[in-house]
């Protein structure tokens, strides 16, 4: 088996990629040899004095080094050691003694108007509450999002009823990573991984405004705007891998503020969509030509 060496955005971390997946829906992080008891390969790697952390996920092993060496001096030797270990029958990760029964699912990727975002559609319900995560710290309610953030090219994640929108950094193309992400998401869900913990999602102030318990406290125009967004705008936005939330309405300035999430957040065409689509729709349906829509990124 041949190992490919790939740099990451963190100069201390190098990826050693395999031609096939080496874990089934699981990711591992080991800080020392004691933590690596279920990974004979990771234990061997910790005998190298410069190895600080070993990550195993999907089709790669990533190693974070101490600053005592440069990767250019040791990376070929590390790759050779990993290759020899695997080719000689070494075990990368010991099998889980209590595997979760697989649930066959289908996952496919859809492009979105935002070139930085791709929508992965799943043939089963994932969550009742849409959630957006900007980084791994925000992703605590979602084990799946936490694992996806370990891919160095993942920038943001949005999870809705039956899809996951992934926004990437510009340094890599979708052609290089789509299959890897689709396979990882499929395996994660098939093996019983938790996509999102509904009880752990903390509703933001913006989300609270759309809850039924707060809806009755809003002025009539705000209620009408929410109803229009829910009925006419959200389905179309969801089809593009995004979401829209009502933020506020100012009666004095006739300004409507909405929050864009998922693929809509940072999309080059979002401004055009707001002005030519949502704003004109609200003007017509509310019979008020002075309404202005302003987008707030989620």
């Amino acid at each position: 088996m041949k190992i490919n060496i790939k740099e990451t955005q963190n100069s201390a971390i190098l990826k050693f990629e395999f031609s096939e997946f080496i874990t089934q829906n699981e990711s591992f992080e080991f800080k020392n040899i004691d933590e690596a008891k279920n990974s004979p390969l990771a234990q061997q790697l910790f005998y190298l004095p410069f190895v600080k952390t070993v990550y195993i996920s999907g089709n790669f092993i990533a190693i974070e080094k101490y600053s005592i060496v440069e990767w250019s001096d040791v990376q070929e030797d590390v790759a050779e050691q990993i290759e020899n270990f695997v080719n000689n029958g070494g075990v990368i990760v010991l099998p889980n003694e209590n595997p979760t029964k697989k649930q066959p699912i289908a996952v496919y990727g859809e492009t979105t108007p935002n070139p930085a975002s791709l929508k992965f559609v799943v043939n089963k319900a994932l969550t009742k509450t849409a959630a957006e995560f900007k980084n791994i710290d925000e992703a605590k309610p979602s084990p799946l999002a936490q694992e996806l953030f370990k891919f160095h090219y993942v920038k943001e994640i949005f999870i809705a009823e039956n899809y996951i929108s992934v926004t990437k950094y510009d340094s890599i193309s979708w052609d290089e990573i789509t299959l890897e992400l689709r396979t990882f998401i499929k395996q994660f869900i098939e093996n019983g991984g938790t996509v999102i913990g509904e009880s752990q999602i903390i509703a933001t102030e913006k989300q609270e405004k759309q809850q039924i318990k707060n809806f009755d406290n809003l002025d009539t125009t705000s209620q009408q705007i929410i109803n229009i967004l829910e009925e006419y705008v959200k389905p179309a936005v969801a089809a593009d891998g995004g979401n829209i939330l009502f933020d506020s309405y100012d009666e004095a300035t006739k300004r409507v503020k909405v929050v864009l999430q998922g693929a809509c957040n940072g999309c080059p065409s979002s401004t055009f969509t707001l002005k030519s689509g949502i704003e004109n729709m609200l003007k017509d349906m509310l019979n008020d030509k002075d309404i202005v829509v302003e987008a707030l990124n989620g």
Side-chain angles (χ1 to χ4, degrees), residues 205-206 209-210 217-229 245-259 278-279 282-283 285-294 296:
E205 181 180 352
K206 299 180 182 67
K209 289 180 180 179
Q210 290 196 293
N217 297 326
L218 297 173
D219 61 90
T220 301
T221 303
S222 293
Q223 291 178 347
Q224 291 176 323
I225 293 170
I226 289 176
N227 287 334
I228 293 171
L229 294 178
L245 297 175
F246 171 80
D247 180 85
S248 61
Y249 169 67
D250 189 320
E251 177 65 35
T253 63
K254 301 296 180 74
R255 183 173 296 275
V256 178
K257 292 184 179 180
V258 296
V259 179
I278 302 172
E279 187 174 286
L282 292 177
K283 287 180 178 180
M285 298 186 77
L286 297 176
N287 195 26
D288 189 337
K289 302 302 182 184
D290 295 326
I291 283 181
V292 176
V293 175
E294 177 184 344
L296 307 173

Side-chain angles (χ1 to χ4, degrees), residues 15-284:
K15 287 175 65 175
F16 299 86
E17 292 189 348
F18 293 75
S19 59
E20 58 189 46
F21 276 75
I22 58 175
T23 65
Q24 297 297 317
N25 176 44
E26 293 181 293
S27 295
F28 305 88
E29 179 179 339
F30 306 112
K31 295 291 187 181
N32 53 60
I33 196 169
D34 292 329
E35 289 185 0
K37 291 180 180 178
N38 66 329
S39 174
L41 174 56
Q43 286 187 313
Q44 179 171 312
L45 291 172
F46 275 114
Y47 284 110
L48 300 172
F50 55 83
V51 171
K52 180 179 181 181
T53 308
V54 176
Y55 307 90
I56 302 177
S57 180
N59 69 330
F60 67 87
I61 294 170
I63 299 175
E64 181 180 8
K65 69 174 182 65
Y66 289 104
S67 58
I68 57 175
V69 298
E70 296 297 329
W71 272 124
S72 58
D73 296 327
V74 298
Q75 62 186 42
E76 296 296 337
D77 291 336
V78 174
E80 183 179 357
Q81 180 172 324
I82 295 174
E83 284 181 7
N84 291 337
F85 180 91
V86 175
N87 291 332
N88 290 326
V91 177
I92 297 175
V93 179
L94 295 172
N96 188 348
E97 295 181 357
N98 299 300
T100 305
K101 185 178 180 180
K102 284 192 176 184
Q103 302 174 350
I105 64 162
V107 178
Y108 63 91
E110 286 186 355
T111 58
T112 75
N114 186 347
S117 298
L118 198 65
K119 176 183 177 182
F120 293 91
V121 183
V122 184
N123 66 335
K124 64 171 287 185
L126 302 177
T127 180
K128 296 178 181 178
T129 307
E132 184 175 45
F133 308 109
K134 301 287 190 180
N135 52 60
I136 196 169
D137 292 330
E138 290 184 1
K140 291 180 180 178
S142 172
L144 173 57
Q146 286 187 311
E147 293 302 320
L148 288 172
F149 273 117
K150 292 179 181 178
F151 292 96
H152 71 277
Y153 47 75
V154 172
K155 183 179 181 182
E156 296 176 10
I157 297 166
F158 175 72
I159 301 176
E161 182 178 2
N162 72 326
Y163 68 86
I164 300 116
S165 282
V166 177
T167 301
K168 67 174 181 64
Y169 288 99
D170 295 334
S171 58
I172 196 166
S173 69
W174 282 118
D175 290 341
E176 299 176 75
I177 60 176
T178 298
L179 179 60
E180 180 179 39
L181 285 174
R182 188 191 71 80
T183 304
F184 181 82
I185 292 170
K186 174 177 166 61
Q187 290 182 345
F188 184 95
I189 300 174
E190 278 185 341
N191 285 282
T194 300
V195 175
I196 196 165
E198 299 280 350
S199 61
Q200 297 182 48
I201 300 175
I202 302 174
T204 65
E205 181 180 352
K206 299 180 182 67
Q207 290 172 325
E208 285 291 329
K209 289 180 180 179
Q210 290 196 293
Q211 302 302 312
I212 295 176
K213 62 183 179 181
N214 292 318
F215 183 84
D216 292 337
N217 297 326
L218 297 173
D219 61 90
T220 301
T221 303
S222 293
Q223 291 178 347
Q224 291 176 323
I225 293 170
I226 289 176
N227 287 334
I228 293 171
L229 294 178
E230 290 287 327
E231 184 173 355
Y232 298 100
V233 180
K234 272 197 173 184
V237 171
D240 288 335
N243 191 35
I244 186 168
L245 297 175
F246 171 80
D247 180 85
S248 61
Y249 169 67
D250 189 320
E251 177 65 35
T253 63
K254 301 296 180 74
R255 183 173 296 275
V256 178
K257 292 184 179 180
V258 296
V259 179
L260 299 179
Q261 294 181 317
C264 296
N265 187 3
C267 176
S269 63
S270 61
T271 300
F272 176 79
T273 301
L274 285 169
K275 292 300 179 182
S276 66
I278 302 172
E279 187 174 286
N280 289 337
M281 181 184 295
L282 292 177
K283 287 180 178 180
D284 291 339

